[in-house]
Amino acid sequence: MPARTGQEYITGLKERPREVWLNGERVKDVTEHPGLRNGVRSVAALYDMQHDPSLREEMTFASPTTGEPVGLSFLIPKTIDDLVRRREMMTRWAWASCGMMGRSPDFMNAIFSAWAGSAGFFAQDRPEFKQNMLNYHEFIRENDVTLTHALVNLQRRRHQGPTDILHDDVALTAVKETDAGIVVRGSRTLATLGPISDEIAIYPVASHRLDEEAKRQTFSFSIPCDTPG
């Protein structure tokens, strides 16, 4: 799939309903709920800019996989000109909401593009992690995935140190690893855009400050927002 339209984004949310609760009530359709629908429409308008004939060259680039136009925020910059071009694209999206949408999709796209550009770093632990990162970047780019993230474990106090929140009964913790992947248990605080995203990226913050035991809370994966539970 090349760069999505706004309607394709909305249709995706309708076809893959997720469990969202507001004020104690289950939200049946995030695209129609009064508290969420304008956010959905705002994101959809950003995607439509990718198909505006007057903006297409500024908003997209040719996929290295298919040659189809894909969102420019997925570009891995290799030159100063690449950086300028991507900055100008992101500026257009920011101005579309006058900067009021602080978690537009380009935020996460740029993060994963940076990681894909430095994929060799992830191979330091296990060689297959490099290819995992490259594969995932290709997946979100080619499908124009809307990502949010969950970084922070629940707080026990307002001024905690990095290990104060890492208790197995609360913090998201890897409890075992199988051939199919890791099994985790616990909680993370969901970031902005969570109810109207396609997937949730889970990755650690300040893990370099943790001891070996706390490394059980250090992992990265992504999960679709409509995953049961």
Side-chain angles (χ1 to χ4, degrees), residues 43-108:
V43 175
L46 299 181
Y47 284 125
D48 279 337
M49 292 173 68
Q50 299 181 136
H51 294 269
D52 183 331
S54 66
L55 296 175
R56 187 172 298 164
E57 290 299 316
E58 296 181 48
M59 305 303 296
T60 64
F61 74 107
S63 162
T65 301
T66 67
E68 296 277 1
V70 292
L72 192 58
S73 54
F74 292 109
L75 180 69
I76 299 174
K78 299 185 182 302
T79 66
I80 292 175
D81 287 343
D82 286 344
L83 286 168
V84 171
R85 187 182 177 198
R86 190 178 67 172
R87 182 200 69 203
E88 290 175 347
M89 172 263 151
M90 296 170 75
T91 299
R92 279 198 177 275
W93 267 11
W95 273 114
S97 67
C98 296
M100 295 300 292
M101 180 161 283
R103 284 296 183 269
S104 50
D106 51 314
F107 172 73
M108 292 296 293

Side-chain angles (χ1 to χ4, degrees), residues 108 112 115 136 139-140 145-150 182 198-203 219-225 227:
M108 292 296 293
F112 277 89
W115 288 0
Y136 189 65
F139 168 75
I140 61 175
V145 173
T146 307
L147 276 172
T148 188
H149 60 188
I182 60 173
D198 299 314
E199 296 205 0
I200 305 169
I202 310 293
Y203 53 93
F219 39 73
S220 297
F221 64 89
S222 184
I223 189 169
C225 288
T227 300

Side-chain angles (χ1 to χ4, degrees), residues 3-76:
R4 285 198 290 182
T5 65
Q7 186 56 56
E8 287 170 335
Y9 161 70
I10 293 172
T11 299
L13 294 178
K14 285 181 173 291
E15 291 179 345
R16 301 180 64 181
R18 65 284 323 279
E19 185 173 349
V20 177
W21 293 77
L22 285 177
N23 299 320
E25 295 185 2
R26 175 79 179 265
V27 175
K28 294 181 180 179
D29 184 347
V30 296
T31 70
E32 298 295 339
H33 189 278
L36 298 170
R37 65 190 178 200
N38 286 337
V40 171
R41 292 169 185 171
S42 295
V43 175
L46 299 181
Y47 284 125
D48 279 337
M49 292 173 68
Q50 299 181 136
H51 294 269
D52 183 331
S54 66
L55 296 175
R56 187 172 298 164
E57 290 299 316
E58 296 181 48
M59 305 303 296
T60 64
F61 74 107
S63 162
T65 301
T66 67
E68 296 277 1
V70 292
L72 192 58
S73 54
F74 292 109
L75 180 69
I76 299 174

